[in-house]
Amino acid sequence: MISILSDFGLEDTYVAAMKAVIYRIAPTEQILDLTHHIPAGDVARGAIELWRVAPVLPTGSVILAVVDPGVGTNRRPIAIQSAEFTCVGPDNGLFTYLIGTEDCEIVELSNPDHLLPVQSATFHGRDIFAPAAAYLVSGRLLSDLGPSLPSFQRLPAPELELAGTHILRGEILYADRFGNLITSIGRLSRAGDIIRLEPWTGNLGAQDLRCPDPVLALPDGVTIPLTNTFGDVGTHSLTAYIGSAGLLEIAVNGGSALECTGLQRGQTVELRTQG
Amino acid sequence: MISILSDFGLEDTYVAAMKAVIYRIAPTEQILDLTHHIPAGDVARGAIELWRVAPVLPTGSVILAVVDPGVGTNRRPIAIQSAEFTCVGPDNGLFTYLIGTEDCEIVELSNPDHLLPVQSATFHGRDIFAPAAAYLVSGRLLSDLGPSLPSFQRLPAPELELAGTHILRGEILYADRFGNLITSIGRLSRAGDIIRLEPWTGNLGAQDLRCPDPVLALPDGVTIPLTNTFGDVGTHSLTAYIGSAGLLEIAVNGGSALECTGLQRGQTVELRTQG
Amino acid sequence: MISILSDFGLEDTYVAAMKAVIYRIAPTEQILDLTHHIPAGDVARGAIELWRVAPVLPTGSVILAVVDPGVGTNRRPIAIQSAEFTCVGPDNGLFTYLIGTEDCEIVELSNPDHLLPVQSATFHGRDIFAPAAAYLVSGRLLSDLGPSLPSFQRLPAPELELAGTHILRGEILYADRFGNLITSIGRLSRAGDIIRLEPWTGNLGAQDLRCPDPVLALPDGVTIPLTNTFGDVGTHSLTAYIGSAGLLEIAVNGGSALECTGLQRGQTVELRTQG
């Protein structure tokens, strides 16, 4: 299976062109659209979405990701093979969270046998990445696609730190389709007064925090009690909970936390005990 | 085949996560996207779209529908099997029009063998409904998924009544992508002066109305003559016709009836003879 | 494979209904969504997108295209078979650029055996075009679907002309999802001081133009130097380059040329030597 993520949107035929190229090389391959609505050029958002969805993707599947504001410049086109996935895309940080610190093999996509005969300067998704993904899913070896590379680009980790003994400080990462604000505070799970933290960006190790009556403090000092789901509070009320990827989220029941709070990406929030 | 309807949109990877879960359980299953752009939490709209598209869906197919503002609260996750379809989703009225008054079997989705091992409180689409749909399409029996239930939730029927001998009164249900206003007046067909009504919400039985020179009266008293299609009137003119699902629709040729009339969901319109 | 293009959007279940009809007739057929976000009724944009994506579509595939503002009126439903593709849709100009001047066979879709039993007046995509495409991909002959026609409708060619010896004059065709403005000047390729033009609309033959230091002149007299890709200029700077379909495009690195220039469809731009 090839899973595709991009910022191409669906208004044009860019996504269709990539899929058509895949079908020409691998006619019966299954294609899964992860999303094509990453905001234009927003590599960080693309990187988070790849990480979010990865746990349910079949092990061994090929991931084709194209959020590529540097297309046609000197950023390298790459493929990465880890124990879990084979990734194809630009070397600009897109795979930061998807590929952890485990061993992996990396190549630069430069073998002309596995590219379209003519490459445009602005659509490597169609001309370089789609054929590479299709050849890989068809059984071609990573090493057939180009020379080995020692490493790939990583984005700086989002803000996530212990502030005092039992305070977790993080930042707003993005708003989803519902206006829910997803934060960098995670991956969390909860058992009574204990909040368990497991690493996801690499900048905080696994640990248990004692945190009775947990609240999320917004930049303006307002604190929101943690619940299990947005439906646990009254209509149009603000709440926070551990979302479906283990990241702390801010939501409004029946509304948009983005509109309600006006919070922007990068603003700091803190998880701590009430009082 | 599994057909999926949701309000998840395509900006995030929520839909992809549901599909990936399905593919893990039923790797070669065909998936049909009905729509993922139901307005957030709009159960009534979701229920109508399921009813609209149902006549062309293959008999026996599985329908996975997730418009679920009560996710994580005490609303039940259910599956319903009728002679025509097997439906999976929240018990909140989504299946009101799809499943008529025929006999059907209903279960609560509570068997842990057919759920993901850990369930989030906010994404039952991925953790409960997608696996249930995938197991059902793979041949698991409805009764394997949980205990039987006597009934499922139904929404109140939209306004649709006879007002006087030959006047059909209904309401605006929603606007489609083109700005066409779809009303509850249906399902209609026309033969000369006779307008034939067939039941769809259950609140009016089949009957023939004599209705020469039919017009649709808007709340402000304006009347629009019935045509066959929007292209039958001049550019930017308002018209009404029996739409592709048998419901009366208001449209503007080359424009948006929603913008042109300012009519809102729930406003009353009447089909009657001119004069 | 059936490739589908439409202006139905994805908010409603119109696209799903077409696909369901196809699956009932051709259950295992592969379907490729080209795009369903052609602006409502914009036949010219649909025609260009079909032409753009065609080079990567498998030869022999069926193309189902429904941008159909005249649905239900006297415009004809047709199928066209060329050496490369079999096209199904309304006879309103949609296939102008996809089908060149080569020999092709054309029929009117009127055989009731290959339509849905009841046809609505407003959704021929579901009732006429989808079944026709599914029967064709299943091996039915074009001549089985209806009587032969001598020709099909073509749109007038976009502006594209030589103005003076070495000036190419064209027009803005549309803006893509990124706000890039796609012009009618093409199909171009570049080798040193030579710009090679190959025909696409039929109104200019293949030729080489000597054009050192090429610039694109906007209607207000501003000139933009040609680069290879938007990433070749500074952030928020305006540039022009030969896009992935060979048409000259205007872009802003990290921004929207549509917003930045305010240029509208149909406005004239000129490719010429600087100075």
Side-chain angles (χ1 to χ4, degrees):
Chain A
M1 188 164 84
I2 298 182
S3 297
I4 316 183
L5 174 141
S6 79
D7 67 347
F8 289 139
L10 297 175
E11 298 90 337
D12 307 282
T13 51
Y14 299 132
V15 170
M18 288 200 296
K19 291 181 181 176
V21 167
I22 291 170
Y23 286 138
R24 287 166 78 109
I25 297 167
T28 61
E29 199 55 46
Q30 208 170 37
I31 294 178
L32 175 63
D33 293 301
L34 297 178
T35 177
H36 299 291
H37 296 281
I38 298 296
D42 190 344
V43 175
R45 174 71 186 276
I48 293 167
E49 288 292 348
L50 288 177
W51 169 83
R52 268 194 91 104
V53 77
V56 291
L57 295 180
T59 299
S61 59
V62 170
I63 295 172
L64 167 56
V66 191
V67 180
D68 195 8
V71 62
T73 65
N74 61 359
R75 71 93 191 87
R76 296 171 305 187
I78 59 170
I80 308 173
Q81 193 163 317
S82 73
E84 288 193 284
F85 303 114
T86 302
C87 304
V88 175
D91 186 19
N92 62 10
L94 257 182
F95 304 112
T96 298
Y97 311 121
L98 182 67
I99 307 288
T101 53
E102 70 268 27
D103 277 347
C104 61
E105 196 186 343
I106 311 157
V107 300
E108 180 165 1
L109 301 172
S110 59
N111 183 344
D113 294 348
H114 300 113
L115 312 175
L116 290 205
V118 177
Q119 292 106 44
S120 68
T122 53
F123 195 5
H124 288 186
R126 178 192 66 187
D127 303 337
I128 297 178
F129 300 125
Y135 282 117
L136 285 167
V137 86
S138 304
R140 214 64 104 258
L141 297 177
L142 204 71
S143 55
D144 290 339
L145 270 60
S148 186
L149 292 174
S151 65
F152 62 94
Q153 296 291 324
R154 286 188 183 277
L155 302 174
E159 181 179 11
L160 177 61
E161 58 182 13
L162 275 174
T165 331
H166 295 303
I167 298 174
L168 268 176
R169 182 178 291 156
E171 63 174 303
I172 304 292
L173 294 178
Y174 68 92
D176 75 3
R177 121 90 154 178
F178 298 97
N180 300 335
L181 295 163
I182 284 69
T183 78
S184 61
I185 301 178
R187 290 178 299 148
L188 304 182
S189 55
R190 215 173 148 186
D193 285 355
I194 301 299
I195 286 184
R196 171 158 297 177
L197 178 74
E198 299 199 67
W200 78 280
T201 65
N203 53 1
L204 267 187
Q207 53 199 289
D208 287 357
L209 285 87
R210 225 190 136 262
C211 191
D213 298 319
V215 294
L216 187 71
L218 304 189
D220 61 3
V222 169
T223 60
I224 316 169
L226 252 64
T227 60
N228 284 319
T229 177
F230 54 87
D232 285 341
V233 296
T235 305
H236 304 308
S237 294
L238 203 60
T239 184
Y241 51 81
I242 299 167
S244 59
L247 301 181
L248 207 64
E249 301 184 9
I250 308 168
V252 166
N253 188 7
S256 161
L258 175 66
E259 284 175 26
C260 176
T261 67
L263 285 173
Q264 304 278 328
R265 185 189 290 212
Q267 284 195 272
T268 298
V269 290
E270 289 184 354
L271 175 66
R272 54 178 174 77
T273 286
Q274 174 75 54
Chain B
M1 188 164 84
I2 298 181
S3 298
I4 316 183
L5 174 141
S6 79
D7 67 348
F8 288 140
L10 297 175
E11 298 90 337
D12 306 282
T13 52
Y14 300 132
V15 170
M18 287 201 296
K19 290 180 181 177
V21 167
I22 291 170
Y23 286 138
R24 287 167 76 109
I25 296 166
T28 60
E29 199 55 47
Q30 207 169 38
I31 295 178
L32 175 63
D33 293 301
L34 298 178
T35 177
H36 300 290
H37 296 280
I38 298 296
D42 190 345
V43 175
R45 174 72 186 274
I48 292 167
E49 288 291 348
L50 288 176
W51 169 83
R52 266 195 93 103
V53 77
V56 290
L57 295 181
T59 299
S61 60
V62 171
I63 295 171
L64 166 57
V66 191
V67 180
D68 195 9
V71 62
T73 66
N74 61 0
R75 71 92 190 87
R76 297 171 305 186
I78 59 170
I80 308 172
Q81 193 163 315
S82 73
E84 289 193 283
F85 302 114
T86 302
C87 303
V88 174
D91 186 20
N92 62 10
L94 257 182
F95 304 112
T96 299
Y97 310 121
L98 182 67
I99 306 289
T101 52
E102 70 267 29
D103 276 348
C104 60
E105 195 185 344
I106 311 156
V107 299
E108 179 164 3
L109 301 172
S110 59
N111 182 344
D113 295 347
H114 299 113
L115 312 176
L116 289 205
V118 178
Q119 292 106 44
S120 68
T122 52
F123 195 6
H124 288 186
R126 178 192 64 188
D127 302 337
I128 296 177
F129 300 124
Y135 283 117
L136 285 167
V137 87
S138 304
R140 212 67 103 257
L141 296 177
L142 204 72
S143 55
D144 290 340
L145 270 59
S148 186
L149 293 173
S151 65
F152 62 94
Q153 295 291 323
R154 286 189 183 274
L155 301 174
E159 181 179 12
L160 177 62
E161 58 183 13
L162 275 174
T165 330
H166 295 303
I167 298 175
L168 268 177
R169 180 178 293 156
E171 62 174 304
I172 305 291
L173 294 178
Y174 68 93
D176 75 3
R177 120 92 154 176
F178 298 97
N180 299 336
L181 294 162
I182 284 69
T183 79
S184 61
I185 301 178
R187 291 178 302 147
L188 303 182
S189 55
R190 215 173 147 185
D193 286 354
I194 301 298
I195 286 184
R196 171 157 294 177
L197 177 75
E198 298 199 68
W200 78 279
T201 65
N203 53 1
L204 268 187
Q207 54 200 287
D208 287 357
L209 285 87
R210 222 188 138 264
C211 192
D213 298 318
V215 294
L216 186 70
L218 305 190
D220 61 3
V222 169
T223 60
I224 315 169
L226 253 64
T227 60
N228 284 318
T229 176
F230 53 88
D232 285 340
V233 296
T235 306
H236 304 308
S237 294
L238 202 60
T239 184
Y241 51 82
I242 300 167
S244 59
L247 301 182
L248 207 63
E249 302 185 7
I250 308 167
V252 165
N253 187 8
S256 162
L258 176 65
E259 284 175 25
C260 175
T261 67
L263 285 172
Q264 305 278 326
R265 186 190 287 212
Q267 285 195 269
T268 297
V269 290
E270 288 184 355
L271 175 67
R272 54 178 172 77
T273 285
Q274 174 75 53
Chain C
M1 188 164 85
I2 298 181
S3 297
I4 316 183
L5 175 142
S6 79
D7 67 348
F8 288 140
L10 297 174
E11 299 89 338
D12 306 283
T13 52
Y14 300 132
V15 170
M18 287 201 296
K19 291 181 181 176
V21 167
I22 290 170
Y23 286 138
R24 288 166 78 109
I25 296 166
T28 61
E29 199 55 47
Q30 206 169 37
I31 295 178
L32 175 64
D33 294 301
L34 298 178
T35 177
H36 299 291
H37 296 280
I38 298 296
D42 190 344
V43 175
R45 174 71 185 275
I48 292 167
E49 288 292 348
L50 288 176
W51 169 82
R52 266 195 92 104
V53 76
V56 291
L57 294 181
T59 298
S61 60
V62 170
I63 295 172
L64 167 56
V66 191
V67 180
D68 195 9
V71 63
T73 66
N74 61 359
R75 71 90 191 90
R76 296 171 305 186
I78 59 170
I80 308 173
Q81 194 163 315
S82 72
E84 289 193 283
F85 303 114
T86 302
C87 304
V88 175
D91 186 19
N92 62 9
L94 256 182
F95 304 112
T96 298
Y97 310 121
L98 183 66
I99 306 288
T101 53
E102 71 268 27
D103 276 348
C104 61
E105 196 186 343
I106 311 156
V107 299
E108 179 165 2
L109 302 171
S110 58
N111 182 344
D113 295 347
H114 299 114
L115 311 175
L116 289 205
V118 178
Q119 292 106 44
S120 68
T122 53
F123 195 6
H124 288 185
R126 178 192 65 189
D127 303 337
I128 296 178
F129 300 124
Y135 283 117
L136 285 167
V137 86
S138 304
R140 212 66 102 257
L141 297 176
L142 203 72
S143 54
D144 290 340
L145 270 59
S148 186
L149 292 174
S151 64
F152 62 94
Q153 296 291 324
R154 288 189 182 275
L155 302 174
E159 181 180 11
L160 176 62
E161 58 182 13
L162 275 174
T165 330
H166 294 301
I167 297 174
L168 268 177
R169 182 178 290 155
E171 63 174 302
I172 304 291
L173 294 178
Y174 69 93
D176 75 4
R177 119 92 155 177
F178 298 98
N180 300 335
L181 295 163
I182 284 70
T183 79
S184 61
I185 301 178
R187 292 178 299 148
L188 304 183
S189 56
R190 214 174 149 185
D193 285 354
I194 301 298
I195 285 184
R196 171 158 296 177
L197 177 75
E198 298 199 67
W200 78 280
T201 65
N203 52 2
L204 267 188
Q207 53 199 290
D208 287 357
L209 285 87
R210 223 188 138 263
C211 192
D213 298 319
V215 294
L216 187 71
L218 305 189
D220 61 3
V222 169
T223 60
I224 316 169
L226 252 64
T227 60
N228 284 318
T229 177
F230 53 87
D232 285 340
V233 296
T235 305
H236 304 310
S237 294
L238 203 59
T239 184
Y241 51 81
I242 300 166
S244 59
L247 301 182
L248 207 63
E249 302 184 9
I250 308 168
V252 166
N253 187 7
S256 162
L258 176 65
E259 283 175 26
C260 176
T261 66
L263 285 173
Q264 303 279 326
R265 185 190 287 212
Q267 285 195 273
T268 297
V269 290
E270 289 184 354
L271 175 67
R272 54 178 173 78
T273 286
Q274 174 74 53

